Amino acid sequence: MGDPNQDHFSTAPPSPMIISPKAKLSLGLNNCHTGERQKLFGHTNPNVGILDEQVLSLVFRRLNWDPQTVCSAACTSRRMRAVAGRILFFELCLSRAPRLVSSVLITPIGAQPCGVAGSSPHVPGGWRALAKLLLFCCGCEPSRFFESSDKTPGHFAPVSRFSKTSGKSFLVRRCWGDVLYVSDPCEHANPAGEEEDLGVYRGVFGGFMRSRTRACLIGKNIQLEAHIRCPYCGARVWSMTAAGLVPKSASRRLGTHEDSLEYFVCVNGHLHGSCWLTRLSSSDADDDDDDDDDDGRDEDSGAADETVAW
């Protein structure tokens, strides 16, 4: 009997059918420390190859953060979904609407600068929800304050303009200090074939948890809707119509009658709504211009608007 600790190898070459790939990898590594073996086999760092977050950022930056490609990649695995939710959708939003992102961004104290691997800036509802809001028209479903003959499906919006000035028109006077970006309405043909077209719009609050709008909703004890959810983050919503917080300036901004619109705000500060678009008369246009002059616009408010395209 030889030394049991001594390895013996046959002089004939081993058959590849009886030596597994794992056994081949282990040959010659018996004396390696556990930490060295794990480092060689990649067990200590899952961010290797294409799963490296910096590599992924470079790849998608080269693709100009194409939304459909990012969404497809996020569906490939749980890890890719996590990376997309933390980094890829954030970079997509930042590339499309940097001013809007800076308004809604929440950066914890001591966090690293945005865009650095390991940094943890976030927004209520997550970056995936904000990216969807920027690039996706949610369509329309009938509600108790907005009648429609049929459901209108959502779709990717090639170009959308989000305006903080327009957002102010959706706030009652006592809430004018809030930051709200609202898109121009996306026009859809009337399902019933009538002359009025369906307008679908969306928006997002900056700092919604500290906003006067949220304080008003809670102070008035407005109940959350039972059967409607936010189409972007899935959270529960308040009906601004039921709360009596829809100002006349909103209908003038949209070009519709006061009883022909409704919009909702979710607990994460996402806004979505619908209206019937009508042609403006000359007197309505003059009233809208007067409202713009009196809404307290700052000099740089126009610069805060964002045009999002993909």
Side-chain angles (χ1 to χ4, degrees):
M1 297 290 291
D3 187 352
N5 297 323
Q6 181 66 36
D7 292 334
H8 293 277
F9 298 95
S10 172
T11 56
S15 170
M17 300 299 294
I18 61 174
I19 300 293
S20 67
K22 185 180 293 187
K24 290 182 181 179
L25 288 173
S26 66
L27 294 177
L29 297 175
N30 292 331
N31 295 326
C32 291
H33 295 293
T34 302
E36 294 175 342
R37 291 170 60 85
Q38 290 179 341
K39 186 175 181 179
L40 286 170
F41 292 143
H43 294 315
T44 58
N45 182 17
N47 297 327
V48 294
I50 193 61
L51 291 180
D52 187 283
E53 294 175 359
Q54 294 182 352
V55 173
L56 284 170
S57 295
L58 291 173
V59 170
F60 285 100
R61 186 176 299 135
R62 181 68 176 177
L63 297 173
N64 194 27
W65 303 104
D66 178 71
Q68 291 183 334
T69 305
V70 174
C71 292
S72 298
C75 295
T76 57
S77 67
R78 288 185 178 180
R79 170 153 182 78
M80 281 295 293
R81 182 179 178 87
V83 173
R86 188 175 65 257
I87 296 176
L88 300 184
F89 285 119
F90 162 64
E91 293 285 0
L92 189 158
C93 294
L94 191 62
S95 69
R96 296 299 191 271
R99 296 188 186 94
L100 187 152
V101 168
S102 66
S103 296
V104 303
L105 182 68
I106 299 175
T107 305
I109 299 176
Q112 300 182 38
C114 298
V116 176
S119 62
S120 54
H122 66 280
V123 291
W127 290 111
R128 179 179 178 274
L130 182 61
K132 184 178 180 181
L133 186 144
L134 291 178
L135 301 164
F136 189 78
C137 170
C138 63
C140 172
E141 293 188 12
S143 61
R144 55 175 171 158
F145 294 111
F146 187 81
E147 295 183 1
S148 177
S149 59
D150 198 3
K151 176 180 177 180
T152 301
H155 62 91
F156 270 103
V159 179
S160 298
R161 187 181 74 95
F162 287 82
S163 171
K164 188 164 67 174
T165 303
S166 296
K168 197 165 190 177
S169 300
F170 289 77
L171 301 172
V172 294
R173 184 179 294 272
R174 63 180 176 273
C175 298
W176 273 3
D178 295 345
V179 176
L180 173 62
Y181 284 85
V182 175
S183 72
D184 292 336
C186 180
E187 299 184 18
H188 300 257
N190 192 321
E194 299 180 3
E195 293 182 359
E196 293 180 329
D197 289 331
L198 176 66
V200 181
Y201 49 96
R202 59 203 191 275
V204 59
F205 279 84
F208 182 67
M209 297 300 293
R210 302 182 302 275
S211 67
R212 289 177 177 265
T213 300
R214 181 177 181 272
C216 287
L217 290 166
I218 294 176
K220 296 176 69 172
N221 196 28
I222 304 301
Q223 299 298 312
L224 294 164
E225 294 293 299
H227 305 293
I228 300 176
R229 295 278 178 165
C230 175
Y232 299 105
C233 66
R236 299 187 68 183
V237 302
W238 287 285
S239 169
M240 300 298 281
T241 306
L245 295 177
V246 178
K248 295 180 179 180
S249 55
S251 59
R252 290 198 294 267
R253 175 68 65 176
L254 294 169
T256 186
H257 301 295
E258 293 180 20
D259 58 348
S260 299
L261 79 159
E262 183 178 24
Y263 54 93
F264 304 90
V265 174
C266 79
V267 296
N268 289 318
H270 302 141
L271 178 149
H272 75 282
S274 307
C275 66
W276 293 117
L277 299 174
T278 58
R279 293 183 179 180
L280 289 174
S281 65
S282 59
S283 60
D284 290 335
D286 292 339
D287 291 342
D288 190 38
D289 292 338
D290 294 340
D291 181 67
D292 289 344
D293 293 337
D294 297 336
D295 64 3
R297 182 186 306 182
D298 297 330
E299 291 182 358
D300 62 344
S301 62
D305 295 353
E306 296 277 6
T307 299
V308 182
W310 64 281

